Amino acid sequence: MGTRDLPSTEYDPSCAICKFATGAAGTVLYEDDHWAVGVLDGIEAPGWTVVALRRHAFGITGASVAEAETMGPLLRRVTEAIESATGAERVYIAAYGENHAHWHLLLIPRGADVPVEQRHSQIWGHRQSFVDPKRARQVGELIRDQMSSGTRV
Ligand SMILES: [Zn+2]
């Protein structure tokens, strides 16, 4: 990919999410006109998937109408792919916006084996215990296959 045709106002070279969304860091599993979906460097946990605006804009209020309108159907598709690939009982969706001022959401599968005390918002604090780059790559390929299967919602 690369920075493609994004104007400089829509790409911040110091932004980790911009780097991800343009393919310069992490692993993009799926992309469309507005969104990039994949795995961030440093959070290579199986099924932990970031959904990011392709352009540098902050918050859902920074999204265009088209970006906002496509977010719901995309989140459904990605969630279905994660559920299929991991068998998770739940797929959490989190958007903090504290580390990167670039609208992105993290989808986190929560399996039946996750202890009760690590569920809900506590799972973020335990993220390093879920990191498994080899398994994350395998699950990522399953998610990529499902996202490219043409199944639209
Ligand atoms: Zn950015």
Side-chain angles (χ1 to χ4, degrees):
M1 274 186 293
T3 57
R4 292 177 302 248
D5 54 351
L6 287 176
S8 61
T9 54
E10 297 185 353
Y11 180 80
D12 178 345
S14 69
C15 173
I17 304 301
C18 279
K19 289 178 183 169
F20 161 75
T22 57
T27 304
V28 174
L29 302 172
Y30 170 86
E31 65 178 337
D32 61 24
D33 290 344
H34 306 295
W35 302 95
V37 175
V39 181
L40 289 181
D41 288 342
I43 316 179
E44 294 106 339
W48 288 49
T49 305
V50 68
V51 173
L53 276 180
R54 288 179 58 178
R55 67 184 180 93
H56 188 80
F58 183 60
I60 187 63
T61 54
S64 70
V65 171
E67 289 164 341
E69 286 178 347
T70 55
M71 191 176 80
L74 178 64
L75 290 177
R76 179 178 174 163
R77 287 182 67 202
V78 177
T79 298
E80 286 176 339
I82 293 169
E83 287 175 347
S84 174
T86 66
E89 289 187 338
R90 300 285 186 278
V91 176
Y92 301 150
I93 299 177
Y96 303 112
E98 298 289 358
N99 293 326
H100 310 291
H102 180 143
W103 182 234
H104 65 289
L105 304 100
L106 184 62
L107 278 62
I108 304 171
R110 195 276 294 154
D113 58 332
V114 174
V116 170
E117 64 273 14
Q118 293 183 16
R119 296 182 181 186
H120 199 267
S121 58
Q122 297 303 312
I123 202 165
W124 180 248
H126 294 274
R127 63 191 176 280
Q128 288 306 320
S129 69
F130 296 97
V131 169
D132 180 344
K134 181 179 177 185
R135 181 73 185 133
R137 277 193 298 279
Q138 293 168 340
V139 169
E141 288 305 313
L142 294 173
I143 293 170
R144 184 197 309 266
D145 289 348
Q146 179 138 347
M147 293 298 294
S148 66
S149 69
T151 304
R152 294 278 175 171
V153 289

